[in-house]
Amino acid sequence: MSSSSTATAQAPEAEHDAHGHGHGHDAHGGHHAPQSFFHKYLYSTDHKIIGMQYLFTGMFMALIGGFTVYAFRMQMAFPGMSVPGYGRVSAGDYNALVTTHGSVMIFWVAMPVLIAALGNYLIPLMIGCDDMVFPRLNRLSYQIFLLSVIVLIASFFVDGGAFGGAWTSYPPLSAKAQYNLTPLGAPMCLTAVALEFAAFLMGGINFVTTVMNSRAPGMKMFDVPIVIWSIIIASILFMASVGPLIAGAIMLLFDQTLGTAFFDPNKGGDPVLWQHLFWFFGHPEVYVVLLPAMGIVAEVIVTFSRKKLFAYKTVLYTMVGTGVISFFVWAHHQFVAGIDPRMANIFSVTTLLVSIPVAEMVFVYIATLYGGSIRLTTPMLWALAFIAEFLLGGVTGIYLGSSGADIYFHDTYFVLAHFHYTFFPIAFIAVFAALTYWFPKMFGRYMNEAWGKVHFWGTIIAFNFIFIPLFLLGARGDHRRIYDYTHFPDLMKPGMQDLRVLATVSLVVLLCFQVIFVVNYFLSMVRGPKASANPWKANTLEWAAPSPPPHGNFPDGLPTVHRGPYEYSHPDRQEDYWPQNAS
Amino acid sequence: MSSFPRPIATTRSVTGISTGKLAVWWLIASEIVIFGGVLGSYLMHRIGHPEWASHAAHTNTWAGAFNTLVLLTSSLFAVLAHQAADQKDGKKAAKFLYLTVLGAFTFLIVKSIEWTGEIQAGYTISSHTFWSFYYTAAGIHGVHVLAGAIIMLVIASDAKKGVDLQRVEAVGLYWHFVDIVWIFLFPLLYIAK
Amino acid sequence: MISKYVESASSFAGDIDHLIWLVTVIVGFWFFLAEGVLFYFILRYTAQDGVKGQYITGEDPKQKRWVAWPHYLTLLFDVWIIIAAITVWQHVKQAMPQADSTVRIIAQQWAWTFVHPGPDGKLDTPDDIKLVDELHVEKGKTYHFELQSRDVLHSFSVPVFRLKQDAIPGRTIRGWFKATMAGGFDIQCTEICGIGHALMPARILIENHEDQAAWVMSKSPAAAATGGTP
Ligand code: HEA
Ligand code: HEA
Ligand code: CUA
Ligand SMILES: [Cu+2]
C-alpha cells in the first residue's frame, strides 16, 4: 500500500478499485441510499454511531452504578430500613451492591464513556478523516462490550446472586464458592470484566493505528489536539498494563471453575500474587481514565479562555511521564497486605514522585487561564470545577502514598473519599464538560444554558457534601465495606452517624439533580435551538465539519492542516481564533 | 465481505507503514504483556518451589522438542509466503500459507496426543500447581496457534485471488510471535527439571 | 489532629499522627495556593468587551519558569514527606523491638481467636489462654503478635494504635505494638472477607499491671483447679 499523506477525496477511490472494490464511492459524501434503522443505528460501522452506542450504554450503566450506591448508602445511614425502590439490604446484598457499584463505575461508566465513546467520536473528526481505520473491528468491539454488559447484568439474577468480594476480587475469597457463597456470580463477574477488556484492547489498537496513520495532510505530531493525545496515551497505557491481569483473570477463573490452585495457599498457590497482578494494572488504570479527562479539560479551557494552551509540549511530556511512572507504584495499595516491608520504602518514593508530573499538568492549566478572556459557559464551569475538585483528590493521595500514614488510612473511608475526589471529577465532571461542549457538534443543537447551570451548581455542591463528611469519617476510623456500623462502639461516637446521614442525604440530592441533566440533554436533542458548524469559534478540526457531521464527516472534502490546534487570540489576526484548516 | 465500503482513513499511511502491519505490532505488544503475566507468575512460583522439578520430570521433552521444530519450520514457510506476496504472486503465497497452517495443525495434534497421555497418567490441571501452569500457559498458547491457523486460512483464500496481499506479511508477523512465545515456553515447562 | 477524635494508645500512634500533620501542612499549603491562584485568575480574567486574550505560548523559558519553579519546589517537598514517611514506617513495620510477651491472633470467617500466653509467659503451652473476640494486653509492655488466617484474607486493625496488618492464610505475619493507655477499644477487620465482614468486631482491653496479672491468674487452669477466683 503506497504512502499517500496527501490523500485527497479522489485518490483513494483509485486504490479501492485496484483492490477490486467498486464501492469506494459510497464510503464518503452525504449521498447515501436511505438505510434501515438497524443498519444506520444498531449495526453501523460509522465511528460516530459506535461512539454514541458506547455513550448511551455508559449512561445506562451510570444509572445502575448510581442506583446501587443509593441503595447501600441508605442502609448505612439508616441501618435495617427498607430502602424505597430496593427493600431491605442484607449483609450479602450490601457487599454485592458495593462490588457492583465499584466495578460498574470504573469498567462500565468511566472507561466506555471517556475512552471508547469520546475516543470513537472525536478521533476521526479531530484528526480530519472520515472514519477509523478498522470500522468493522470497531463495531465488533462494541458488540463484545455489549455482551459484557449482558453477562454482568445476568449475574445479578443467578443463584446465589451477584459477586460480593469487592471490585478488587482478592482470592481466596473470590476463588472459592465456599467462601464467597456466589458460585455463579463470581465467575460471571470475572468473565464480564474479561470481555470488556477484550473490547477495549480492540478499540485501543484501532485508536492508536488510526492516529498514527490517518491524520489529515499537514497534521504533524505536535498539531494533534491534547485530548486526542491523552486518549492515545491512555490506550497504550491500558494495553501495556492489562496483560498481567488478563493472565491473572484466566488463572482465577480456573481456580473458580476447574479446581486449580494458583491462588490457594493450601495447595502451593499464592494469594498475594493476584494482588500484584491486579494492582500492576489497577494503578495505571486510574491514569487511563485520568488522562482523557485532563485532555477534555484542556480543550474546553483554551476555547473558553481564548488562550493558547500554555506549553503544549510540557503537557504532552507530563502525560507520558505520568504514564511511565504509573507502572512503578502499584504496591502502594499493598503496604500492609503482607508484602516484604522493605518494598514499601521503594513504592513510597515512586508514589510521591508521580505527584510531580500531575502537579505540573495542573499548574499548566492554571497558567493557561492567565491573561485570558474567560467565558463562564456551562462546559467551562465543569472544566474549571474539574481542576478545583481534582486537586483535593490528588493531594489526599499524598497521605496514602506516605507509607507510615497509610498504615492508619488503608481501607478506611479516607481512601474512599480520596479516590472519589479523583473519580467523580473524572467520570462525571469532566464528562459533563465534554457532553456539554461537544453537544452542538453531536446533535446540531444547543443545550439549555440556564438549566445546565442549575445542574452544575446542584451537582458540585451536593458532591462536596457527600465526600467531605466521608473524609472526616475515614480519619476517625470508619473502615470500608461495612453495612452496619452499630457493631463497632468506637464508630458510633456522637456525631458520626450524623455525618453518615449527611453524606447519604447529599447523595439523594445529587441524584435528583441528575434528572435535570438527563431531561435537558435529551430534550435539547430535539428542541434545542439549532447550532452552526462552529458555535464556540474553536480551532480544532471537528468544528470544520457540519453539525452534526454526516457519514463520512467532511462532505466538502477532507481538511488539510496548516497550524497547531491552539492559536487563539493571535496578535496578527482580527479574529481571536484561527482554525487549524483555515488557509 | 469484500463489498464492504472502506473509508479513506484506511488508505492513508502517514507513518509509511501499512495500517494492518501497525495494528499487528500493537497486537503483539499487548500479547507480550499477557504472556509476560503468565510466565512471570510461573517463574516466581518455580523459583520459590524447587521441588516442582519432580513434576516437571513427567513432561515429554521429545514431544516438546519436535513441536519446536515444527513451529520453526512453519515460521520459515510464513517468510516464504511473505516473499511471494511481495512479488505479487498470490497463488504461491497461498501455497506457503497452507504449509504454515499444516505446521500449526501438526503442532496441535502432537499437543493433544501429549496431553491425553498425561491426563491418563493422572496429571490433570487441578492435580498440582505445576500442572495448572503447564496446561494454562500451553493452553493459552495453543489457542493462539489455532486462531493463527484460522486467520491464515482466510487470508490464503483471499491471496489466491490476489486480494489483500499485504495481509500475508501481517499474519506472518503474528505467526513469528506465536513461535517465539513457544521458544520461551518450551525450556520453562519441559527442560527445566 | 487525628488524636482529637481517636485516642492515641500506642507508642507509635503519636509518630503517625505527627506524620499526618506534617503532610497536612505541606499539601494544605499547596492546595490552597493552587486553588487561590485558580480562583484569582478566573475572577481577574473574566471576559470584558473589547479586551482580547493575550498570546502566550508558554514555550519561552522566561514564561515557563512560572510552572517550572513550583514544580521544583514540589519535588523538594516530596523529598521531605518521603523522609518523614519512611522513618515512621521503618519504626512501626520494620524494626522489631525486644518483646516482653507474644500473642497469637487467628482470624477466620468471621471471628477472631486471641491466644495469650498463660502465667508461664510462653505460647504453645497448656496454660495458654484462648479467647474469642477479646484481646487482653498490659499497658507499657512490648508485644509481638503472630497473625494467621484460617481461610481468606482478613486484616487486623486497631485504630487507637494506628496499627493495621493483613492476615494471609498459610503464613504467619509478625509485628509489634506497645500500649500506652488503659481502656477498651475496637478491633476491626479491615479486609473484606465475605458476608460477615461487618460482623467481625472484637475488643482490645488494655490493663494495668495488677489487673492484667489478676486476669491471667483467673484464667489459668491452675487457678481453675484450686477453685481460686480473685
Ligand atoms: C483516577 C483515579 C485516581 C487518581 C488520579 C489517583 C491519584 C493518586 N493516588 Fe489514588 N486511588 C484510586 C484512584 C486514584 N488515585 C483508587 C480507586 C484507589 C483505591 C482502590 C481500592 O482500594 O479500592 C486509590 C488508592 C490509593 C492508594 C492506596 C491507599 C490504600 O488502599 O491504602 C494510594 C497510596 O499511595 C494512592 C495514592 C495516589 C497518589 C499519590 C495519586 C497521585 O496521582 C496524585 C497526584 C496529584 C497531586 C499531588 C495534586 C496536584 C499537585 C499539587 C497541588 C502540588 C503539591 C503536591 C505536593 C507537594 C506533593 N491512591
Ligand atoms: C468511577 C468511579 C466511581 C464513581 C463515579 C463513584 C461514585 C460514587 N460513589 Fe463509589 N466506589 C467506586 C467507584 C466510584 N464511585 C469504587 C471503585 C468503590 C469501591 C468498591 C469496592 O469496595 O469494591 C466505590 C465504593 C463506594 C462506597 C463504599 C462502600 C463501602 O466500602 O462500604 C461508597 C460509600 O459511600 C461510594 C459512594 C459513591 C457515591 C455517593 C458516588 C456518587 O458520586 C454517585 C453519583 C451517581 C451518579 C451521578 C449517577 C447518575 C448520573 C447520571 C445518570 C447522569 C448521566 C450519565 C453520564 C453523564 C455518564 N462508593
Ligand atoms: Cu474478616 Cu473482614
Ligand atoms: Cu494506586
Side-chain angles (χ1 to χ4, degrees):
Chain A
M1 198 169 284
S2 67
S3 89
S4 54
S5 46
T6 50
T8 63
Q10 258 9 71
E13 272 154 51
E15 292 200 11
H16 279 168
D17 288 343
H19 287 313
H21 303 290
H23 301 271
H25 217 87
D26 294 353
H28 43 86
H31 43 88
H32 266 278
Q35 285 178 316
S36 70
F37 181 82
F38 176 77
H39 276 281
K40 198 158 169 215
Y41 295 112
L42 300 180
Y43 198 67
S44 171
T45 53
D46 183 358
H47 71 100
K48 296 186 291 299
I49 300 293
I50 294 173
M52 301 274 190
Q53 289 171 334
Y54 268 116
L55 179 63
F56 293 135
T57 317
M59 279 188 178
F60 171 73
M61 295 307 276
L63 291 176
I64 296 186
F67 177 73
T68 49
V69 66
Y70 154 78
F72 75 69
R73 274 230 63 98
M74 288 297 273
Q75 155 66 25
M76 226 183 306
F78 312 105
M81 87 176 295
S82 174
V83 178
Y86 184 87
R88 285 191 55 124
V89 179
S90 69
D93 285 4
Y94 182 91
N95 286 354
L97 288 169
V98 170
T99 306
T100 307
H101 161 75
S103 325
V104 164
M105 284 294 196
I106 295 181
F107 295 128
W108 282 280
V109 179
M111 292 277 289
V113 173
L114 280 163
I115 302 199
L118 291 175
N120 263 312
Y121 195 88
L122 295 178
I123 287 176
L125 279 166
M126 291 183 92
I127 64 170
C129 66
D130 57 344
D131 208 329
M132 289 286 175
V133 289
F134 301 113
R136 280 178 302 177
L137 186 69
N138 214 6
R139 183 177 62 196
L140 182 64
S141 144
Y142 176 73
Q143 287 161 343
I144 293 180
F145 174 74
L146 194 62
L147 184 64
S148 80
V149 169
I150 293 168
V151 173
L152 182 83
I153 293 181
S155 84
F156 304 163
F157 301 105
V158 294
D159 258 6
F163 178 57
W167 80 290
T168 49
S169 303
Y170 283 179
L173 179 64
S174 58
K176 294 275 174 279
Q178 88 204 58
Y179 297 142
N180 59 42
L181 310 178
T182 51
L184 292 171
M188 282 173 80
C189 179
L190 197 60
T191 310
V193 173
L195 284 171
E196 200 252 13
F197 287 166
F200 284 144
L201 274 180
M202 289 179 184
I205 291 174
N206 208 348
F207 290 179
V208 178
T209 28
T210 303
V211 174
M212 283 177 79
N213 251 0
S214 304
R215 298 195 301 274
M219 184 179 262
K220 294 186 286 297
M221 245 177 68
F222 296 127
D223 297 336
V224 176
I226 285 291
V227 68
I228 300 302
W229 266 118
S230 69
I231 291 173
I232 292 308
I233 297 171
S235 300
I236 295 176
L237 207 55
F238 178 77
M239 261 191 252
S241 62
V242 79
L245 184 58
I246 292 182
I250 295 171
M251 298 196 278
L252 186 56
L253 200 61
F254 285 178
D255 269 13
Q256 289 170 343
T257 55
L258 298 181
T260 56
F262 290 110
F263 304 115
D264 182 351
N266 299 322
K267 292 204 214 144
D270 180 4
V272 179
L273 171 65
W274 167 265
Q275 300 182 13
H276 288 297
L277 297 175
F278 185 88
W279 291 117
F280 181 81
F281 160 78
H283 192 89
E285 164 70 11
V286 306
Y287 298 117
V288 168
V289 291
L290 171 65
L291 295 184
M294 283 282 189
I296 292 164
V297 171
E299 301 300 325
V300 176
I301 284 189
V302 293
T303 306
F304 293 108
S305 60
R306 319 307 291 167
K307 272 286 306 287
K308 193 178 164 78
L309 184 66
F310 192 91
Y312 170 101
K313 286 188 189 162
T314 308
V315 177
L316 198 55
Y317 298 146
T318 52
M319 284 187 169
V320 176
T322 314
V324 172
I325 301 177
S326 76
F327 282 97
F328 304 98
V329 303
W330 79 88
H332 66 211
H333 296 272
Q334 302 161 256
F335 282 151
V336 298
I339 57 171
D340 185 333
R342 284 169 299 181
M343 266 165 80
N345 299 327
I346 302 164
F347 283 95
S348 203
V349 174
T350 51
T351 300
L352 286 204
L353 284 185
V354 90
S355 69
I356 308 275
V358 181
E360 179 97 351
M361 238 183 279
V362 174
F363 294 155
V364 163
Y365 286 8
I366 296 179
T368 301
L369 296 173
Y370 174 85
S373 169
I374 296 171
R375 270 141 236 207
L376 292 177
T377 55
T378 317
M380 184 63 164
L381 285 176
W382 286 115
L384 295 171
F386 174 86
I387 301 178
E389 303 287 348
F390 174 77
L391 265 170
L392 186 53
V395 295
T396 48
I398 301 302
Y399 289 83
L400 306 172
S402 313
S403 48
D406 189 57
I407 302 171
Y408 181 62
F409 285 130
H410 175 67
D411 266 345
T412 63
Y413 267 71
F414 191 92
V415 175
L416 194 102
H418 151 67
F419 73 76
H420 281 81
Y421 257 99
T422 51
F423 264 137
F424 187 87
I426 290 168
F428 289 109
I429 298 185
V431 166
F432 286 135
L435 293 186
T436 47
Y437 179 65
W438 279 293
F439 190 89
K441 180 56 50 188
M442 288 180 167
F443 304 106
R445 290 172 189 273
Y446 288 103
M447 271 176 87
N448 185 303
E449 275 284 305
W451 283 113
K453 286 191 174 139
V454 171
H455 170 238
F456 169 79
W457 288 108
T459 305
I460 289 295
I461 293 171
F463 164 67
N464 287 292
F465 273 96
I466 302 176
F467 291 106
I468 297 281
L470 296 188
F471 268 125
L472 299 177
L473 284 166
R476 295 174 72 166
D478 259 20
H479 51 310
R480 298 169 62 182
R481 301 150 182 161
I482 301 298
Y483 79 109
D484 184 350
Y485 286 93
T486 52
H487 303 291
F488 296 89
D490 288 356
L491 298 180
M492 293 303 289
K493 288 191 190 157
M496 292 186 77
Q497 191 64 19
D498 299 338
L499 288 174
R500 291 181 198 119
V501 173
L502 174 60
T504 301
V505 170
S506 309
L507 168 66
V508 174
V509 172
L510 184 141
L511 286 173
C512 293
F513 271 97
Q514 304 318 308
V515 176
I516 297 181
F517 173 78
V518 174
V519 172
N520 188 2
Y521 193 77
F522 287 100
L523 217 57
S524 298
M525 268 182 213
V526 287
R527 292 256 195 89
K530 284 233 188 303
S532 64
N534 191 359
W536 312 124
K537 298 196 176 8
N539 284 347
T540 39
L541 292 177
E542 78 273 30
W543 305 105
S547 302
H551 198 167
N553 294 346
F554 298 96
D556 306 331
L558 294 172
T560 304
V561 168
H562 300 288
R563 66 190 61 76
Y566 302 120
E567 298 300 314
Y568 289 99
S569 306
H570 197 280
D572 303 345
R573 294 264 300 177
Q574 184 72 38
E575 298 271 8
D576 66 356
Y577 69 116
W578 201 357
Q580 285 191 277
N581 61 323
S583 45
Chain B
M1 190 180 178
S2 53
S3 71
F4 173 70
R6 290 184 197 202
I8 293 163
T10 322
T11 64
R12 287 185 176 166
S13 181
V14 175
T15 55
I17 307 170
S18 90
T19 304
K21 205 158 116 188
L22 260 185
V24 171
W25 277 118
W26 283 108
L27 175 72
I28 290 176
S30 56
E31 297 260 31
I32 286 175
V33 269
I34 299 182
F35 282 103
V38 180
L39 291 181
S41 306
Y42 169 69
L43 273 175
M44 303 267 274
H45 276 87
R46 199 55 209 272
I47 292 165
H49 298 274
E51 74 277 9
W52 285 14
S54 66
H55 286 275
H58 296 286
T59 55
N60 188 338
T61 314
W62 288 110
F66 176 73
N67 260 347
T68 311
L69 204 70
V70 169
L71 277 193
L72 283 175
T73 322
S74 73
S75 253
L76 179 69
F77 288 131
V79 174
L80 293 174
H82 171 204
Q83 269 175 9
D86 268 356
Q87 292 152 6
K88 302 265 172 287
D89 189 344
K91 287 224 169 57
K92 197 162 150 205
K95 206 174 74 199
F96 281 121
L97 275 184
Y98 287 130
L99 283 171
T100 320
V101 174
L102 185 70
F105 282 114
T106 315
F107 176 91
L108 289 174
I109 289 165
V110 173
K111 202 92 239 174
S112 0
I113 296 172
E114 229 187 305
W115 280 18
T116 317
E118 279 151 3
I119 291 171
Q120 275 168 353
Y123 302 113
T124 65
I125 188 164
S126 58
S127 52
H128 185 270
T129 308
F130 170 79
W131 293 104
S132 306
F133 272 113
Y134 171 81
Y135 286 108
T136 306
I140 299 176
H141 177 257
V143 170
H144 282 77
V145 173
L146 186 63
I150 294 170
I151 298 167
M152 282 189 288
L153 285 177
V154 172
I155 291 178
S157 79
D158 274 353
K160 223 166 24 187
K161 293 176 243 151
V163 176
D164 281 335
L165 282 177
Q166 84 282 358
R167 287 179 176 171
V168 175
E169 185 190 358
V171 79
L173 276 175
Y174 172 81
W175 194 251
H176 296 322
F177 165 73
V178 173
D179 193 3
I180 290 170
V181 170
W182 181 255
I183 305 261
F184 278 94
L185 285 181
F186 174 57
L188 287 176
L189 295 177
Y190 290 78
I191 300 183
K193 281 181 179 162
Chain C
M1 216 172 51
I2 302 285
S3 57
K4 217 170 131 195
Y5 299 105
V6 186
E7 292 85 346
S8 133
S10 76
S11 59
F12 46 68
D15 299 337
I16 292 183
D17 287 359
H18 183 77
L19 170 62
I20 293 172
W21 184 79
L22 174 77
V23 177
T24 306
V25 172
I26 294 179
V27 304
F29 165 75
W30 284 100
F31 174 73
F32 286 108
L33 184 71
E35 296 278 0
V37 176
L38 173 67
F39 280 98
Y40 173 72
F41 282 175
I42 296 173
L43 297 177
R44 168 69 182 75
Y45 296 107
T46 319
Q48 286 160 325
D49 280 341
V51 182
K52 225 170 136 180
Q54 298 176 23
Y55 187 78
I56 302 169
T57 60
E59 304 291 353
D60 179 348
K62 263 210 193 114
Q63 299 163 347
K64 239 189 192 155
R65 66 171 182 220
W66 285 101
V67 296
W69 277 105
H71 177 185
Y72 297 134
L73 282 177
T74 43
L75 184 60
L76 206 69
F77 281 103
D78 269 350
V79 173
W80 187 0
I81 297 175
I82 288 172
I83 292 172
I86 289 186
T87 315
V88 173
W89 173 267
Q90 296 196 329
H91 175 54
V92 180
K93 288 285 181 183
Q94 272 173 258
M96 282 285 261
Q98 198 67 41
D100 299 321
S101 182
T102 303
V103 288
R104 184 169 301 138
I105 303 167
I106 304 163
Q108 74 192 76
Q109 282 182 329
W110 293 283
W112 297 96
T113 309
F114 299 103
V115 186
H116 310 73
D120 65 353
K122 288 197 199 89
L123 280 177
D124 300 313
T125 51
D127 68 350
D128 286 356
I129 305 168
K130 264 194 199 182
L131 283 185
V132 173
D133 290 347
E134 215 176 277
L135 172 62
H136 288 253
V137 299
E138 186 179 324
K139 188 182 140 187
K141 239 182 179 181
T142 302
Y143 283 85
H144 280 189
F145 61 81
E146 293 177 359
L147 185 58
Q148 299 171 344
S149 165
R150 291 219 175 103
D151 36 45
V152 300
L153 304 178
H154 301 268
S155 187
F156 174 71
S157 163
V158 186
V160 290
F161 283 0
R162 316 285 185 269
L163 176 64
K164 191 171 286 136
Q165 179 59 56
D166 284 9
I168 302 173
R171 295 194 203 176
T172 300
I173 295 172
R174 280 164 233 278
W176 72 281
F177 57 80
K178 179 174 163 185
T180 56
M181 181 182 169
F185 304 102
D186 279 351
I187 292 173
Q188 308 170 338
C189 173
T190 50
E191 187 62 75
I192 188 158
C193 52
I195 62 168
H197 167 62
L199 305 172
M200 238 178 115
R203 293 291 280 179
I204 183 164
L205 300 167
I206 307 169
E207 293 147 345
N208 294 322
H209 182 69
E210 299 78 45
D211 296 344
Q212 170 85 6
W215 173 77
V216 170
M217 283 319 293
S218 77
K219 288 288 179 184
S220 71
T226 55
T229 32

